[in-house]
Amino acid sequence: MSTSQLSFFDTSALGGSQSNLYWGELPGDRALEEAAAAAQQAAKAPAPIPAVLPKVDFALTGTRGLAQGWKERARDNLAAIRLLATLEAEDRNASPDEQAVLARFTGFGAGELANSLFPRAGETFRAGWEEIGSQLEELTSQQERAGLARATQYAHYTPELIVHALWDLAA
């Protein structure tokens, strides 16, 4: 130590083993030790095992059971969107029955769906489509609806008969 420095810890009540001054513990002084003890305790306790549905690829057998009319197909799309939100919120895989619901999602590329559910600025939903349009607004954010609307520009509905014929040809 240089002669120009003074050490209060060696020459005063602040330091040395002879000090009778009690500082006590401040909140957080033992935080690292307490965290290590909690981690050690958590490692000993068995973690609860969440119920996990195994990941199983969906295999279409037969047809998807698509609804006949466009309004019913729009309702099936809404059911799939609603189910997807539930699956994401619960952080789980879809059961086989839920996969069948998701498989009935046809998108909104068909002209009747696109023109009825994605009005231009300042316009409202087409007459008779207000309820379905309102449900779509409730289930999706503005950004998600904009994405769905953009996807309609180049998405076109392909009848299931043609899809099966092409798939069979490819297989």
PDB file of all heavy atoms in Angstrom, residues 3-19:
ATOM      1  N   THR A   3       1.934   5.204   0.605  1.00  0.00           N
ATOM      2  CA  THR A   3       1.789   6.049   1.785  1.00  0.00           C
ATOM      3  C   THR A   3       0.710   7.102   1.617  1.00  0.00           C
ATOM      4  O   THR A   3       0.265   7.686   2.581  1.00  0.00           O
ATOM      5  CB  THR A   3       3.130   6.753   2.107  1.00  0.00           C
ATOM      6  OG1 THR A   3       3.536   7.458   0.938  1.00  0.00           O
ATOM      7  CG2 THR A   3       4.148   5.767   2.555  1.00  0.00           C
ATOM      8  N   SER A   4       0.271   7.312   0.380  1.00  0.00           N
ATOM      9  CA  SER A   4      -0.773   8.314   0.172  1.00  0.00           C
ATOM     10  C   SER A   4      -2.179   7.725   0.292  1.00  0.00           C
ATOM     11  O   SER A   4      -3.145   8.441   0.191  1.00  0.00           O
ATOM     12  CB  SER A   4      -0.596   8.989  -1.186  1.00  0.00           C
ATOM     13  OG  SER A   4      -0.724   8.033  -2.210  1.00  0.00           O
ATOM     14  N   GLN A   5      -2.315   6.424   0.502  1.00  0.00           N
ATOM     15  CA  GLN A   5      -3.627   5.804   0.638  1.00  0.00           C
ATOM     16  C   GLN A   5      -3.879   5.438   2.078  1.00  0.00           C
ATOM     17  O   GLN A   5      -2.973   5.078   2.805  1.00  0.00           O
ATOM     18  CB  GLN A   5      -3.698   4.534  -0.207  1.00  0.00           C
ATOM     19  CG  GLN A   5      -3.743   4.812  -1.682  1.00  0.00           C
ATOM     20  CD  GLN A   5      -3.855   3.511  -2.452  1.00  0.00           C
ATOM     21  OE1 GLN A   5      -3.438   2.476  -1.968  1.00  0.00           O
ATOM     22  NE2 GLN A   5      -4.385   3.599  -3.656  1.00  0.00           N
ATOM     23  N   LEU A   6      -5.095   5.518   2.450  1.00  0.00           N
ATOM     24  CA  LEU A   6      -5.500   5.134   3.779  1.00  0.00           C
ATOM     25  C   LEU A   6      -6.500   4.010   3.693  1.00  0.00           C
ATOM     26  O   LEU A   6      -7.473   4.108   2.959  1.00  0.00           O
ATOM     27  CB  LEU A   6      -6.176   6.326   4.451  1.00  0.00           C
ATOM     28  CG  LEU A   6      -5.646   6.573   5.810  1.00  0.00           C
ATOM     29  CD1 LEU A   6      -5.136   7.964   5.868  1.00  0.00           C
ATOM     30  CD2 LEU A   6      -6.459   6.325   6.900  1.00  0.00           C
ATOM     31  N   SER A   7      -6.341   2.944   4.413  1.00  0.00           N
ATOM     32  CA  SER A   7      -7.278   1.836   4.374  1.00  0.00           C
ATOM     33  C   SER A   7      -8.129   1.863   5.629  1.00  0.00           C
ATOM     34  O   SER A   7      -7.645   1.640   6.724  1.00  0.00           O
ATOM     35  CB  SER A   7      -6.529   0.515   4.293  1.00  0.00           C
ATOM     36  OG  SER A   7      -7.431  -0.538   4.398  1.00  0.00           O
ATOM     37  N   PHE A   8      -9.392   2.168   5.475  1.00  0.00           N
ATOM     38  CA  PHE A   8     -10.301   2.180   6.616  1.00  0.00           C
ATOM     39  C   PHE A   8     -10.653   0.773   7.075  1.00  0.00           C
ATOM     40  O   PHE A   8     -11.081   0.553   8.172  1.00  0.00           O
ATOM     41  CB  PHE A   8     -11.583   2.938   6.264  1.00  0.00           C
ATOM     42  CG  PHE A   8     -11.376   4.403   6.142  1.00  0.00           C
ATOM     43  CD1 PHE A   8     -11.388   5.023   4.908  1.00  0.00           C
ATOM     44  CD2 PHE A   8     -11.155   5.182   7.272  1.00  0.00           C
ATOM     45  CE1 PHE A   8     -11.197   6.371   4.803  1.00  0.00           C
ATOM     46  CE2 PHE A   8     -10.968   6.537   7.165  1.00  0.00           C
ATOM     47  CZ  PHE A   8     -10.984   7.138   5.932  1.00  0.00           C
ATOM     48  N   PHE A   9     -10.500  -0.188   6.194  1.00  0.00           N
ATOM     49  CA  PHE A   9     -10.906  -1.542   6.535  1.00  0.00           C
ATOM     50  C   PHE A   9      -9.893  -2.246   7.422  1.00  0.00           C
ATOM     51  O   PHE A   9     -10.252  -3.168   8.127  1.00  0.00           O
ATOM     52  CB  PHE A   9     -11.178  -2.346   5.256  1.00  0.00           C
ATOM     53  CG  PHE A   9     -12.366  -1.808   4.504  1.00  0.00           C
ATOM     54  CD1 PHE A   9     -12.202  -1.028   3.375  1.00  0.00           C
ATOM     55  CD2 PHE A   9     -13.651  -2.056   4.947  1.00  0.00           C
ATOM     56  CE1 PHE A   9     -13.281  -0.521   2.707  1.00  0.00           C
ATOM     57  CE2 PHE A   9     -14.747  -1.550   4.275  1.00  0.00           C
ATOM     58  CZ  PHE A   9     -14.574  -0.778   3.154  1.00  0.00           C
ATOM     59  N   ASP A  10      -8.652  -1.834   7.387  1.00  0.00           N
ATOM     60  CA  ASP A  10      -7.658  -2.482   8.239  1.00  0.00           C
ATOM     61  C   ASP A  10      -7.420  -1.719   9.542  1.00  0.00           C
ATOM     62  O   ASP A  10      -6.954  -2.292  10.508  1.00  0.00           O
ATOM     63  CB  ASP A  10      -6.319  -2.592   7.495  1.00  0.00           C
ATOM     64  CG  ASP A  10      -6.390  -3.598   6.369  1.00  0.00           C
ATOM     65  OD1 ASP A  10      -7.255  -4.515   6.440  1.00  0.00           O
ATOM     66  OD2 ASP A  10      -5.623  -3.462   5.407  1.00  0.00           O
ATOM     67  N   THR A  11      -7.773  -0.454   9.563  1.00  0.00           N
ATOM     68  CA  THR A  11      -7.417   0.359  10.723  1.00  0.00           C
ATOM     69  C   THR A  11      -8.606   0.944  11.459  1.00  0.00           C
ATOM     70  O   THR A  11      -8.442   1.841  12.264  1.00  0.00           O
ATOM     71  CB  THR A  11      -6.503   1.517  10.282  1.00  0.00           C
ATOM     72  OG1 THR A  11      -7.228   2.298   9.325  1.00  0.00           O
ATOM     73  CG2 THR A  11      -5.214   1.009   9.689  1.00  0.00           C
ATOM     74  N   SER A  12      -9.805   0.452  11.168  1.00  0.00           N
ATOM     75  CA  SER A  12     -10.981   1.008  11.835  1.00  0.00           C
ATOM     76  C   SER A  12     -11.945  -0.106  12.196  1.00  0.00           C
ATOM     77  O   SER A  12     -11.704  -1.270  11.931  1.00  0.00           O
ATOM     78  CB  SER A  12     -11.660   2.041  10.928  1.00  0.00           C
ATOM     79  OG  SER A  12     -12.276   1.389   9.851  1.00  0.00           O
ATOM     80  N   ALA A  13     -13.085   0.291  12.736  1.00  0.00           N
ATOM     81  CA  ALA A  13     -14.110  -0.682  13.115  1.00  0.00           C
ATOM     82  C   ALA A  13     -14.764  -1.313  11.898  1.00  0.00           C
ATOM     83  O   ALA A  13     -15.536  -2.262  12.014  1.00  0.00           O
ATOM     84  CB  ALA A  13     -15.173   0.004  13.973  1.00  0.00           C
ATOM     85  N   LEU A  14     -14.469  -0.799  10.701  1.00  0.00           N
ATOM     86  CA  LEU A  14     -15.067  -1.346   9.494  1.00  0.00           C
ATOM     87  C   LEU A  14     -14.442  -2.663   9.073  1.00  0.00           C
ATOM     88  O   LEU A  14     -14.982  -3.376   8.260  1.00  0.00           O
ATOM     89  CB  LEU A  14     -14.937  -0.354   8.338  1.00  0.00           C
ATOM     90  CG  LEU A  14     -15.709   0.955   8.489  1.00  0.00           C
ATOM     91  CD1 LEU A  14     -15.406   1.868   7.318  1.00  0.00           C
ATOM     92  CD2 LEU A  14     -17.189   0.687   8.574  1.00  0.00           C
ATOM     93  N   GLY A  15     -13.294  -2.992   9.561  1.00  0.00           N
ATOM     94  CA  GLY A  15     -12.642  -4.191   9.059  1.00  0.00           C
ATOM     95  C   GLY A  15     -11.961  -4.964  10.153  1.00  0.00           C
ATOM     96  O   GLY A  15     -12.002  -4.636  11.328  1.00  0.00           O
ATOM     97  N   GLY A  16     -11.340  -6.034   9.734  1.00  0.00           N
ATOM     98  CA  GLY A  16     -10.582  -6.862  10.650  1.00  0.00           C
ATOM     99  C   GLY A  16     -11.470  -7.842  11.386  1.00  0.00           C
ATOM    100  O   GLY A  16     -12.676  -7.670  11.504  1.00  0.00           O
ATOM    101  N   SER A  17     -10.881  -8.888  11.886  1.00  0.00           N
ATOM    102  CA  SER A  17     -11.631  -9.911  12.608  1.00  0.00           C
ATOM    103  C   SER A  17     -11.995  -9.454  14.008  1.00  0.00           C
ATOM    104  O   SER A  17     -12.805 -10.081  14.669  1.00  0.00           O
ATOM    105  CB  SER A  17     -10.824 -11.202  12.662  1.00  0.00           C
ATOM    106  OG  SER A  17      -9.605 -10.962  13.324  1.00  0.00           O
ATOM    107  N   GLN A  18     -11.417  -8.366  14.468  1.00  0.00           N
ATOM    108  CA  GLN A  18     -11.697  -7.863  15.814  1.00  0.00           C
ATOM    109  C   GLN A  18     -12.922  -6.937  15.832  1.00  0.00           C
ATOM    110  O   GLN A  18     -13.340  -6.492  16.875  1.00  0.00           O
ATOM    111  CB  GLN A  18     -10.491  -7.064  16.348  1.00  0.00           C
ATOM    112  CG  GLN A  18      -9.142  -7.721  16.173  1.00  0.00           C
ATOM    113  CD  GLN A  18      -9.077  -9.071  16.872  1.00  0.00           C
ATOM    114  OE1 GLN A  18      -9.740  -9.273  17.872  1.00  0.00           O
ATOM    115  NE2 GLN A  18      -8.291  -9.989  16.334  1.00  0.00           N
ATOM    116  N   SER A  19     -13.499  -6.671  14.666  1.00  0.00           N
ATOM    117  CA  SER A  19     -14.585  -5.706  14.576  1.00  0.00           C
ATOM    118  C   SER A  19     -15.825  -6.203  15.304  1.00  0.00           C
ATOM    119  O   SER A  19     -16.243  -7.336  15.159  1.00  0.00           O
ATOM    120  CB  SER A  19     -14.926  -5.468  13.102  1.00  0.00           C
ATOM    121  OG  SER A  19     -16.073  -4.679  13.012  1.00  0.00           O
TER     122      SER A  19
END
